[in-house]
Amino acid sequence: MSGNHFYSNSAKQAWVRGLYPRIINNKFSNGSSGQNLLQVGENVSGGYATDAIVSDNTFHTASGAAALVISGSDNVSLSKLKFNIISPGSGVGVISVDNSNNLTVSDVNVPTAGAGYGLYVIGGTAHKIISGSFSGATSGIMLQNGSSATVGEAVKYFNNTYSGLSLSSFNDVVISGEYYDSQVTKTQDYGIDVGGSNGITLLNVYCHDNTVSPITSLAGSYERVRVKRGSNLLSGTFTVGNGTATATITNNNADSNMTVIVTPTNAAAAVMFGRVLSIADGTNFVMQYTANASGDATFAYKIV
């Protein structure tokens, strides 16, 4: 269906199911609270909507309910969706997904107002969140009770009241993206809350200006790769001055668990051997060398 404006005060605004449905360039709105604006599939026998495409749609005014529900349906693609005045309420997502696999989300921006989530996924596997932004919710995205998801670098999570991204028993997730609070009075406590989930890889993550911590402690198994926490870059240069053997490198991504790769960049540096002497989390790290520099010795470094 395409080019329609669906408006109603009924309990279910619009419901789509079947093979290969296409929901493109429509408007969904209602006049009272407690109504889901669009439901794709339903978690009952024969209620699926396999391989659905939901694109270029606008959702307006949903209070106490989801704007878009995906239920019992695999291979659903969401793209270029717009949301206005959506307040789903506690424990509800502006986009709510349950018992579905292989969800793809791209160019979806959810400026939530209220106590729910921008995107709330319960169960399923092989989800891909490629690009978009999620703000103004309890958590921008909540992934719960499932496994296998990828969160891309082109996703921003900001100005939520608890976290940008929350996981709850959702395992095997590769996480990228930016997690921050840009408000004068900040409300987002954490960039990422991993919720005891296992198999987490943090890849090219940028967490900054959160009120409590960039990332909650990881209770399960995980791999952390290139996590950028502050406003500084993860790489740079420093100089050990002539006649000295130490250098303090200011970088607010400094972390006691980090590894630093240091490369000499001039002749004076090439003959020096050093180690990380100390790290002040979120502030700086100190390099110490076995002998004083003969001339200014310059180095490049990378935090990994």
Side-chain angles (χ1 to χ4, degrees), residues 137-280:
T138 299
S139 294
I141 293 179
M142 166 65 87
L143 303 179
Q144 180 177 327
N145 297 335
S147 65
S148 182
T150 301
V151 179
E153 284 190 67
V155 187
K156 297 180 182 293
Y157 310 76
F158 59 95
N159 302 352
N160 297 288
T161 58
Y162 177 68
S163 69
L165 170 67
S166 285
L167 307 179
S168 178
S169 298
F170 201 105
N171 300 321
D172 303 321
V173 184
V174 178
I175 301 173
S176 302
E178 184 176 8
Y179 306 79
Y180 63 98
D181 196 318
S182 63
Q183 303 169 104
V184 174
T185 303
K186 301 186 185 303
T187 59
Q188 186 164 295
D189 292 340
Y190 302 96
I192 302 169
D193 176 12
V194 297
S197 300
N198 292 297
I200 307 303
T201 298
L202 304 178
L203 178 64
N204 291 328
V205 170
Y206 184 14
C207 294
H208 60 96
D209 297 303
N210 298 283
T211 63
V212 178
S213 176
I215 305 166
T216 60
S217 60
L218 296 170
S221 61
Y222 72 98
E223 179 183 357
R224 194 179 98 171
V225 183
R226 295 190 296 281
V227 178
K228 185 178 179 184
R229 304 194 310 173
S231 58
N232 296 135
L233 298 176
L234 287 164
S235 59
T237 61
F238 65 90
T239 299
V240 179
N242 182 33
T244 64
T246 62
T248 299
I249 298 92
T250 298
N251 192 306
N252 53 24
N253 293 294
D255 186 303
S256 57
N257 294 314
M258 74 180 185
T259 298
V260 181
I261 299 173
V262 176
T263 305
T265 56
N266 70 356
V271 296
M272 299 181 67
F273 301 92
R275 65 185 180 92
V276 176
L277 175 65
S278 62
I279 299 171

Side-chain angles (χ1 to χ4, degrees), residues 3 29 49 103 112-113 122 183 195 260 286:
S29 60
L103 173 74
T112 312
I122 302 176
Q183 303 169 104
V260 181
V286 177

Side-chain angles (χ1 to χ4, degrees), residues 85-96:
I85 317 177
I86 312 295
S87 301
S90 180
V92 180
V94 171
I95 304 171
S96 290

Side-chain angles (χ1 to χ4, degrees), residues 280-303:
D281 275 11
T283 304
N284 60 45
F285 62 97
V286 177
M287 292 295 300
Q288 183 181 55
Y289 290 84
T290 56
N292 291 343
S294 298
D296 289 345
T298 58
F299 299 84
Y301 75 88
K302 183 176 182 180
I303 297 173

